[in-house]
Amino acid sequence: MAYRDQVRDEAIAAAKAYSHPEVEPRHLLWGLLEVLDAAAPSTVSRPAVRALLAPRGSATASPVVPASIEERLARVTGRDTAVTLCGELAHELPGTGPAPEATTGSSTAAATQSADRATETTPAARPAAKADAVPALLAELDALVGLGEAKASVRRLIAVQRLNAERRAQGLPEVSGSHHVVFTGPPGTGKTTVARLLGKLYGAIGVVSKGHLVEASRADLVAGYVGQTALKVQAVVEKALGGVLFIDEAYALARGDSQDFGEEAVATLVKLMEDHRDDLAVIVAGYPAEMRTFIDSNPGLRSRFTHYVDFPDYSVDELVQIFGAIATQAKVDLAPDVHEALPGLVAKAQARENFGNARWVRSLFERSFANMAQRAVADEQIEAAELGLLVAADLPAPDDDRWPARRRIGFRNPA
C-alpha cells in the first residue's frame, strides 16, 4: 500500500474512533505519526496530538475526507514528504510542535498554557489522576475466594498496560498492547466479578476513560431482521464506550446458521473495536473449547484477543468459604452443624453435570434462608435468636430435585 493510502486510512480511523464527521488536520497529523512511527520528527509531541483528538463527537457515519485534506495527502509520496507534512501540521496546530519564536511575553504564556492543556487531557496522563485507586482495586481482587491463576493473569495484564502507558508517554511503541481479553471457564466461577474489577482498573490506569462495565448477551446483539443487528451492536458499544463491554457465552454469536445474523454481529463488533480502540475494552467469556473455536472463527477476533484468563471450577473448600461469605454479608450466623454438613453437601452437588459453582452456592444459601424463615414463623412468634441463625436442618437435602439444572447457554455440539 502506498504511503499516502496508509496515512489516509489512519487519519480516517482516528476520525472514526472519536466519532468525528470529517477528517481534519488533527486527524491527518495523527495518521502521519502512526505511519511514520519512529521516523516521525522528534519535535512533534505524540501525546499532545492525541489530546487534540478530543472531545468525542456524535457522528455515526464514516468520516468524509474533504478536498483540502485530499490536496495535502496528494503531496505524500514517501517517507520524506510525509515527514515534511508532519512538521508543517505540527506548526499549524497549537501545542503539538515546537513553540514559535515569541515576540511578547503574552504569546509565550499562551503557548505554554496550550501545551499544559494538551498534557492534562492526553490519555497518557490519565493514570496520574486515578493511580491511587489501583492498590485498593488489586486488594479487592486478592480478597476474592480462590481464583489464584486468574488473579495472577489480571495482575500481569495490568502491569503490561501500565508499562505501555509509560512507553506511549515516552514515544515508544506498545508491546502486546491489546486490552481485550478472553475469560474461559464454566458458569459461576467469578468471571463477571473479575471483569467488573478489571474495568475499574483499566479506568484507574488510563486504558479507558471511565471504567464501567456493560454486560451483553446474544439477545442484546443479534436481531431477527436484515439491517437491525448492526444497529443493536452499535447501541450496546456506545453504552460501553469509556469502559468494558462484557459478553458472556460469546460463542453463541456464531452458531453457523446461514439464516442467522450472528456473523453480522461479530463483524460489526470487530469494526467498532477498531473504530473505538482508544476508549473501549471488550471481554468475551465462555467455556474454554467453545471460546477458542469462536476466536479462531474470525481473523479480526484472533488478532485482537491475545490475552486469555482461565477460571477453573472452585474446590469444595472454596465453595464452603463462599457460602460463609454470603452468610456474613447477610448477617446470618451459621451453627456448628452447618459447617459440618456443608462440605459433603457441596461435594455431592459438585459431582453433577454442569455444576453452577458460586451461582449454585448462592442458590443453596437462598434456599436455606427460606427454610430458616419457614421454621422461624411456624409458631407465629419470631424469637430474636431466629432472626439470624441458620442450622443444618435448614439446608436442603442433597438430592433435592427442585434445584434447577445448570445447562449450558448457546449452541454447543453435545459430542
Side-chain angles (χ1 to χ4, degrees), residues 308-355:
Y308 284 73
V309 179
D310 187 43
F311 291 75
D313 287 307
Y314 287 108
S315 68
V316 171
D317 287 344
E318 289 168 346
L319 291 168
V320 170
Q321 289 181 53
I322 292 171
F323 188 96
I326 295 172
T328 299
Q329 186 176 19
K331 296 186 177 180
V332 171
D333 295 324
L334 303 180
D337 57 358
V338 172
H339 293 286
E340 295 173 3
L342 268 176
L345 178 60
V346 170
K348 186 169 183 177
Q350 193 180 47
R352 296 178 179 178
E353 186 180 1
N354 299 332
F355 176 65

